[in-house]
Amino acid sequence: MSEQIREQVSAFLDGELPNTETELLLKRLTRDGELRESFGRYALIGEALRGAGSHILTRGFAAGVNLAIDGEPAQVPGHTHQPRASRWWRPLAGVTVAAGVATVAIVALQQRAISPGLRVASAPTAQNAGIAPSGVAAQNASVQGGGGSREALSYTVPVSSADVPAALSPARLTNYVFAHSKYSLGLGQRGVLADLLIEDDEPQPAPVQGVAQPPLTPDVRVAP
Amino acid sequence: MTRSQQSRAYWLVPCALVGALLTTLPRDARGADDPREWLEKMNKALATRNYDGTFFHLSGGRVETMRIVHRVRAGRVTERLQSLDGSGREFVRANGELTCYLPDQHTVLVEQRQDKGPFLGSLPQFDASVSDFYRIEALPATHILGRPARVIAVNPKDQFRFGYRLWLDEKTAMPLKTQLCDSRGQVIEQIFFARLDMPENIPDSDLAPTVRTEGMRWVRQGPSPDSTSAALAAYRASQLPPGFRLTIQGAQTLGGASAPASHLVYSDGVATVSVFVEEQPATAPGAAAAAGAAAAAGAASAAGAAAAPGAVAAPDAQPEPPLRGLARVGSGYAFSTVVQGHQVTAVGEVPAQTVEFIAHSVKIYSGGEPPRQ
């Protein structure tokens, strides 16, 4: 990514990119997978440096973005884009400290990719009584215009982690996610559907075997 | 399961469900600056306005550019969600159907997803207990996209659910930026608009898919049964994280499956977890071996379970090995395990431990009704 693009991405995230340049950036982002990846990484780092948890927000965030609400254009009086030397991405070019922040931010997400079979013992144990139910009516999806294998009938793959082991088939997982999206509430549903739109053939982080999670110490409400 | 239960607000609109939290307070007890009041405004804006926007979806270090077009005309909603990069996939909801155009898969999926009546009418009603698990607060106002904006935080009070931060346009209450955060405030997923228009009218052409469907396979998902057999009702999570309760129970035929899975939906009013319970078919020896030693007990149990009478197995389908483990899916998690010869999978936009906890607690009640939740 060129220095100019870096400047644009940074200015956009800071709300200081003029409308015309924003449109160009959007077009670049839709074409350039590497740029999108960098964009996402920078956005994460930006949140970390801004202190997302402390709600410190950049005034005028993306002020130059083309927004027209009720026909009223965005107000950017006298705005001219002047890159700041202190942008949050700048230190990442070569300063170790900033790179450390980046690493933390990325690793924090990678740790969300988890291999199977973890912490089984820490969860409640299902009881062994009972007989498998029966009488389930079968219902197949009908296929028009072609045969197709069972796999082909499955939905697409939104799984963010390529470390999903063989036992956790991405196609099967995706079917669950799609079915879940019907009942997912609020912002969660939008996120689910957005995930389903995402291409799934990009390289993914490696598996993480031992993931530190908060202990399962639930104040469990036992179902009556 | 009733139709009204099935009817759920969609895409951006259900974002407003967070606003349903405010129903726990009388309106006159809240001021104009009350964050709940703003969530209610957002609710209304999302349900009643036309909008056409381009937004970034950031999750897991990746960013995707997407366009959403939402039109409300004579009480009927038509929506299109389109990936502008990468997959080229599009989802269109119109006339009670969700159509998923998947050009990279050469497939078009059609599923019935009815939404009867106005969206606001289909919002779930939360009880006061929701506020026991989330804290809603107004953060200092700011500017975003060149507009003055209110910032509302919906913070989880424990580690079993995620929270949200919402940047709402001061003028229209539309969410210009949203963040999904964990209990420590770390951002998990972020969506923000680069462009958002709210036109008076949206032409049909803006809601038509751009994908060329010639030669693509069309798959029409049959309607899921609303009522299920007593056997399907015999699954329950015996333990739940605080605040979660069973809200929907039914069956869902999953893509490529030969029989419907029991589908239980647990919610705390904001977060939702789906639990799918499927009888495992007799497992081929090779598959059982592939599943590993840890799966041996479950596989053996599955092999001992008779196939469901009436179930139609795909003639060429090989029994799949049981799923076991945890995976991140989008901004949430999925966890699979085997319980008494049944594949149990919990999926939701919740922390990993929540899906694990619920999946592990599923029980099969063979004799009589399961406990009420």
Side-chain angles (χ1 to χ4, degrees):
Chain A
M1 184 161 52
S2 71
E3 189 72 8
Q4 181 189 5
I5 300 297
R6 282 200 185 95
E7 290 281 359
Q8 283 189 327
V9 170
S10 179
F12 174 76
L13 293 171
D14 281 350
E16 297 175 354
L17 193 64
N19 291 357
T20 52
E21 291 190 40
T22 298
E23 289 298 324
L24 290 174
L25 178 62
L26 280 173
K27 288 179 181 175
R28 284 198 183 99
L29 280 167
T30 58
R31 290 196 308 259
D32 189 340
E34 184 183 353
L35 177 59
R36 286 198 301 276
E37 190 177 333
S38 301
F39 184 96
R41 192 163 57 243
Y42 288 165
L44 277 174
I45 297 163
E47 290 296 341
L49 294 182
R50 288 183 185 115
S54 59
H55 315 308
I56 299 172
L57 304 173
T58 302
R59 181 176 175 80
F61 181 92
V65 173
N66 176 26
L67 175 72
I69 294 179
D70 292 341
E72 182 179 328
Q75 299 298 310
V76 194
H79 176 81
T80 55
H81 172 45
Q82 293 183 338
R84 297 178 308 176
S86 60
R87 292 196 194 290
W88 46 261
W89 63 264
R90 275 192 177 280
L92 301 179
V95 179
T96 306
V97 173
V101 175
T103 303
V104 169
I106 295 165
V107 168
L109 282 174
Q110 289 179 341
Q111 283 183 338
R112 297 170 56 76
I114 300 172
S115 292
L118 303 179
R119 290 174 287 120
V120 172
S122 61
T125 303
Q127 298 196 358
N128 296 322
I131 302 170
S134 60
V136 180
Q139 189 169 13
N140 281 316
S142 62
V143 180
Q144 303 168 358
S149 66
R150 181 176 184 183
E151 185 72 11
L153 290 181
S154 299
Y155 300 118
T156 50
V157 182
V159 182
S160 295
S161 304
D163 65 309
V164 173
L168 280 178
S169 154
R172 288 182 67 182
L173 277 178
T174 304
N175 292 333
Y176 293 130
V177 173
F178 190 82
H180 167 68
S181 73
K182 180 184 286 188
Y183 302 103
S184 177
L185 299 176
L187 289 165
Q189 187 181 50
R190 183 181 61 183
V192 169
L193 290 169
D195 289 328
L196 287 167
L197 283 175
I198 293 173
E199 198 172 31
D200 47 75
D201 56 358
E202 295 188 10
Q204 302 290 343
V208 178
Q209 291 296 335
V211 177
Q213 292 273 351
L216 275 174
T217 54
D219 174 19
V220 179
R221 178 174 68 83
V222 179
Chain B
M1 180 169 54
T2 66
R3 280 293 178 192
S4 63
Q5 285 174 314
Q6 286 185 315
S7 299
R8 295 291 169 186
Y10 200 69
W11 292 345
L12 280 174
V13 174
C15 154
L17 299 186
V18 175
L21 291 165
L22 55 86
T23 59
T24 60
L25 278 182
R27 180 182 291 273
D28 56 6
R30 298 183 249 126
D33 291 333
D34 189 290
R36 296 163 191 266
E37 195 75 34
W38 276 96
L39 292 174
E40 192 171 66
K41 289 179 183 177
M42 177 185 74
N43 232 350
K44 185 177 179 182
L46 287 168
T48 60
R49 305 293 295 265
N50 293 339
Y51 44 86
D52 180 346
T54 302
F55 64 90
F56 296 114
H57 174 258
L58 294 96
S59 180
R62 299 174 62 181
V63 61
E64 303 286 333
T65 314
M66 299 184 186
R67 180 185 179 192
I68 184 165
V69 183
H70 178 277
R71 183 179 72 185
V72 182
R73 179 183 287 175
R76 301 184 70 177
V77 174
T78 309
E79 287 178 302
R80 182 163 72 94
L81 184 63
Q82 175 189 15
S83 171
L84 296 179
D85 44 44
S87 69
R89 297 170 188 168
E90 291 186 45
F91 291 175
V92 174
R93 187 183 62 139
N95 303 318
E97 286 186 337
L98 171 65
T99 305
C100 307
Y101 298 90
L102 310 170
D104 55 328
Q105 306 286 321
H106 306 290
T107 302
V108 179
L109 301 170
V110 183
E111 187 182 69
Q112 291 184 4
R113 290 206 179 186
Q114 298 265 344
D115 271 306
K116 292 184 177 178
F119 276 119
L120 283 176
S122 63
L123 292 177
Q125 298 298 310
F126 300 126
D127 56 34
S129 65
V130 170
S131 59
D132 292 340
F133 308 105
Y134 294 91
R135 186 179 64 259
I136 302 175
E137 60 179 335
L139 304 179
T142 184
H143 281 68
I144 184 169
L145 299 172
R147 310 279 301 191
R150 300 282 180 146
V151 188
I152 309 298
V154 180
N155 298 310
K157 292 184 176 179
D158 62 28
Q159 74 275 29
F160 286 105
R161 59 211 98 220
F162 293 142
Y164 295 95
R165 281 195 287 271
L166 307 155
W167 282 254
L168 307 182
D169 177 54
E170 178 87 36
K171 182 176 180 181
T172 66
M174 285 289 290
L176 304 177
K177 176 181 173 183
T178 60
Q179 290 179 336
L180 179 69
C181 310
D182 65 17
S183 59
R184 293 171 295 176
Q186 291 186 323
V187 178
I188 298 163
E189 178 196 67
Q190 185 167 194
I191 291 173
F192 60 89
F193 280 90
R195 176 187 66 82
L196 180 61
D197 300 318
M198 301 184 72
E200 195 75 20
N201 296 298
I202 294 178
D204 290 345
S205 57
D206 284 355
L207 291 156
T210 60
V211 174
R212 295 175 63 88
T213 58
E214 290 86 352
M216 293 175 70
R217 178 190 305 112
W218 285 73
V219 179
R220 183 171 291 276
Q221 187 77 30
S224 298
D226 284 350
S227 57
T228 61
S229 69
L232 278 176
Y235 308 116
R236 285 288 190 281
S238 60
Q239 292 183 309
L240 293 167
F244 281 86
R245 59 188 174 83
L246 182 67
T247 57
I248 295 172
Q249 168 199 323
Q252 181 91 18
T253 304
L254 305 176
S258 58
S262 179
H263 187 172
L264 308 171
V265 180
Y266 293 93
S267 175
D268 65 355
V270 176
T272 308
V273 176
S274 284
V275 177
F276 301 94
V277 184
E278 302 158 274
E279 282 190 86
Q280 287 189 292
T283 307
S301 177
V312 178
D316 57 346
Q318 294 299 316
E320 295 190 53
L323 300 178
R324 288 177 181 272
L326 178 68
R328 184 183 173 195
V329 285
S331 56
Y333 286 93
F335 181 81
S336 276
T337 187
V338 176
V339 177
Q340 297 172 241
H342 292 70
Q343 182 74 62
V344 175
T345 302
V347 181
E349 303 78 59
V350 292
Q353 59 194 11
T354 306
V355 289
E356 281 192 68
F357 187 93
I358 292 176
H360 277 301
S361 78
V362 167
K363 288 183 179 178
I364 289 87
Y365 296 90
S366 58
E369 288 287 312
R372 304 179 75 176
Q373 293 180 328

